[in-house]
Amino acid sequence: MQDIGDGRGYTAGIIGFTTGNGDLRQVVLRYRQLRPRNDLTQFLPALKRVQGTASHRGLGQPFVTAWRRVATDRQFVRAQDDILNQQYLHPALRAARDDDLGPLGQYIYYDALVVHGPGHDATSFGGIRRRAQHLARTPAQGGNPATYLRAFLRVRQGVMRQEAAHHDLSRLTVQRQLIRQRNFALRRPLKWTMYGDHYHLAV
């Protein structure tokens, strides 16, 4: 868990839930449902107060320590998975299905939802998708998938460049590489470099 200076307070967990946008609080609420007696419930009032801000007020080192203490609890891991699926993965899959996009499009949508969050303003996933659809037709509208996904990434790049925490655009470079390769099904083997790290997914 750390504050990466993006104006969203603490970032932590499997996909980088944040105190600022409130999904980290949703994880703690879900964890309370799964394990009513836990070390994080006491911080729920503070998590509600700091939502929408970069503040750590009422959290600080005690909260960081408590988060690390429960990190390996299977119910805590499940709570994170549940919020990930509910707020990010399933909405990304539904949107990709509506736009007739395959696995690559699903990945691109999911990544954008995680980084920019749900919503319909210009800097959220819904706004990025809407603007991309003004630039190119989706496959569901008879458009070319490569053309549409490039338009989506072009809009997203503009949004990312507005935030200092996202100055490294290597995740978009990887996605564009897959589009150039026309690997819309994400066939393996896959090789990519992101944030200076090298990855290889074999057949």
Side-chain angles (χ1 to χ4, degrees):
M1 174 179 290
Q2 60 181 325
D3 187 330
I4 63 174
D6 62 354
R8 296 184 176 95
Y10 283 129
T11 296
I14 189 171
I15 60 166
F17 301 105
T18 71
T19 54
N21 72 16
D23 56 2
L24 193 149
R25 176 172 172 264
Q26 294 302 314
V27 168
V28 177
L29 285 168
R30 177 59 177 148
Y31 185 40
R32 184 177 64 178
Q33 292 177 332
L34 297 171
R35 193 177 297 287
R37 296 174 61 87
N38 69 73
D39 291 342
L40 294 179
T41 296
Q42 62 183 307
F43 296 101
L44 281 170
L47 288 169
K48 186 174 183 178
R49 286 195 299 270
V50 302
Q51 189 167 324
T53 77
S55 175
H56 302 165
R57 186 178 180 184
L59 300 172
Q61 192 57 47
F63 177 65
V64 173
T65 299
W67 181 281
R68 291 173 177 168
R69 191 159 49 236
V70 304
T72 57
D73 182 352
R74 285 183 297 177
Q75 295 296 356
F76 185 57
V77 174
R78 178 183 169 188
Q80 293 185 58
D81 287 341
D82 287 349
I83 299 303
L84 180 157
N85 288 331
Q86 175 188 327
Q87 296 193 17
Y88 301 103
L89 181 59
H90 293 165
L93 294 177
R94 285 195 296 269
R97 183 171 59 247
D98 289 344
D99 293 340
D100 197 21
L101 296 170
L104 175 57
Q106 294 167 14
Y107 157 52
I108 289 174
Y109 272 15
Y110 172 68
D111 186 61
L113 252 169
V114 167
V115 172
H116 303 286
H120 298 284
D121 61 277
T123 61
S124 296
F125 170 75
I128 294 171
R129 182 185 177 204
R130 183 178 62 251
R131 289 165 62 198
Q133 291 175 1
H134 288 158
L135 297 176
R137 291 180 301 167
T138 68
Q141 297 168 327
N144 179 280
T147 301
Y148 171 71
L149 290 175
R150 288 192 188 102
F152 183 88
L153 294 180
R154 186 159 66 250
V155 175
R156 185 181 172 194
Q157 178 173 297
V159 172
M160 291 183 72
R161 281 183 167 165
Q162 297 174 27
E163 300 185 11
H166 293 143
H167 67 277
D168 186 330
L169 301 177
S170 57
R171 63 198 311 134
L172 303 190
T173 300
V174 173
Q175 293 168 18
R176 288 183 171 120
Q177 172 187 320
L178 291 166
I179 295 171
R180 283 196 305 273
Q181 295 170 347
R182 303 193 67 79
N183 193 357
F184 300 112
L186 293 182
R187 295 180 303 276
R188 293 178 289 179
L190 295 169
K191 292 183 180 181
W192 70 98
T193 300
M194 191 179 297
Y195 301 127
D197 295 320
H198 304 284
Y199 302 91
H200 178 212
L201 188 60
V203 176

